[in-house]
Amino acid sequence: MILTVTPNTALDITYRVRSLRPHASHRVTEVTERPGGKGLNVARVLAALGHEVTVTGFAGGATGHIVQQRLTAEPGVTDALVPIAGASRRTIAVVDERTGDTTQLNEPGPAIAPAEWSAFQEAYEDLVADASAVALCGSLPPGVPVNAYAGLVRTARAAGVPVLLDTSGEPLRRGVAARPDIIKPNADELAELTGSHEPLRATQDARRRGAHAVVASLGTEGLLAVTPEGRWRAAPPARVHGNPTGAGDSAVAGLLSGLVDHLPWPDRLARAVALSAATVLAPVAGEFDRGAYEELLGQVAVTTAATAA
């Protein structure tokens, strides 16, 4: 079982409009709702790849109830969300059908009481004991300590379970010091962590700060990985156009899937890039186009990255 942790779960709502114009009324052509938050997106992709996945985090209020109801319809995904008094957040994505661009609105999330955080930590320790790998994903809701991910990393490491951390800002900075097996920052998060805007130098610096391996997401340029086994760049055969929402989460799913399947790093990276690109091509955020994934998988270019000066 792979465990994904999403402290700030959400109900993802996607609106499609013919053309998005500021200060104008719009007729929505299509609406979709689905359980969201980074770890839930990761879980959905992992399940589609054939893995058994358990999701945990927080759920509360009417929105949290909808999230949990929708999770029952996700094959291969087990709901272990911890109940809270506050209402789970919503995220709104507005897709402009003319340009393919997406505008994202993210609510901050509910306040978590100390007793609720303690209940989550107890549940997490029990779940980690049965996990083959753990993904810690996304932002922290109000009330959760800023060093929360560092503690969750240490719990997984103490249990001998590999852990991937995908967050940003101070939670990432503190989490890296706890020595996760993998971190997956994007270019902006990597620059904020290290102070460097040169991707390879920044990725190597992030690894020196404690992460066993660093996989940086560079948008349309694919992934850059610095690991104990080597350094690689992995890129799709051509730039893809569509909705990028969830593409990074699909990359996380590819990395975790490759980890538990014991693939060598180049194959893990190829899987992650193909899944990410296939997610951009999917009509709904958090899904991937399976046909595109299977076609792209053999076309991803994985090359050795030179050492930065």
Side-chain angles (χ1 to χ4, degrees):
M1 176 269 286
I2 299 175
L3 177 65
T4 73
V5 178
T6 314
N8 217 358
T9 54
L11 179 66
D12 285 347
I13 303 170
T14 302
Y15 294 129
R16 300 184 70 86
V17 299
R18 298 196 186 284
S19 178
L20 182 62
R21 303 180 309 281
H23 316 299
S25 297
H26 297 79
R27 186 175 298 278
V28 176
T29 60
E30 183 182 356
V31 181
T32 57
E33 293 184 349
R34 63 188 315 148
K38 294 180 72 65
L40 270 65
N41 291 337
V42 171
R44 185 180 300 112
V45 174
L46 285 168
L49 293 172
H51 297 281
E52 292 185 5
V53 191
T54 297
V55 298
T56 191
F58 299 105
T63 304
H65 180 66
I66 295 171
V67 167
Q68 291 189 284
Q69 276 189 322
R70 297 294 176 88
L71 280 175
T72 63
E74 298 282 356
V77 177
T78 299
D79 172 13
L81 295 172
V82 174
I84 56 172
S88 297
R89 67 186 180 128
R90 297 163 297 178
T91 68
I92 311 296
V94 183
V95 179
D96 184 323
E97 295 178 337
R98 180 178 58 85
T99 64
D101 293 336
T102 300
T103 299
Q104 192 81 19
L105 304 172
N106 297 327
E107 295 180 358
I112 305 301
E116 293 168 338
W117 174 239
S118 295
F120 168 80
Q121 289 177 289
E122 292 179 9
Y124 174 77
E125 288 184 13
D126 290 340
L127 291 166
V128 164
D130 295 322
S132 57
V134 176
L136 306 174
C137 303
S139 61
L140 298 174
V144 173
V146 71
N147 65 346
Y149 280 137
L152 299 180
V153 168
R154 293 187 187 100
T155 298
R157 288 181 56 83
V161 179
V163 56
L164 183 153
L165 177 61
D166 183 15
T167 189
S168 61
E170 191 63 22
L172 174 59
R173 188 180 307 277
R174 299 199 186 196
V176 168
R179 306 186 66 80
D181 293 87
I182 306 171
I183 62 169
K184 195 214 68 65
N186 62 31
D188 290 339
E189 293 161 352
L190 188 63
E192 183 182 8
L193 175 66
T194 65
S196 173
H197 291 272
E198 199 291 309
L200 184 54
R201 182 176 292 108
T203 304
Q204 293 177 161
D205 183 24
R207 184 164 181 261
R208 284 192 291 268
R209 291 169 184 257
H212 191 65
V214 180
V215 181
S217 178
L218 305 180
T220 57
E221 297 180 22
L223 299 176
L224 170 63
V226 175
T227 81
E229 289 78 24
R231 302 171 175 85
W232 294 275
R233 292 181 182 267
R239 181 169 183 171
V240 294
H241 299 274
N243 183 357
T245 305
D249 304 329
S250 291
V252 169
L255 294 172
L256 275 179
S257 175
L259 172 68
V260 299
D261 287 345
H262 306 292
L263 296 181
W265 268 105
D267 292 343
R268 295 186 206 179
L269 297 169
R271 180 178 290 184
V273 168
L275 281 169
S276 181
T279 299
V280 174
L281 294 171
V284 178
E287 291 185 350
F288 69 94
D289 184 315
R290 184 172 291 275
Y293 164 65
E294 293 173 352
E295 181 177 351
L296 287 164
L297 186 58
Q299 300 176 6
V300 174
V302 182
T303 58
T304 302
T307 302

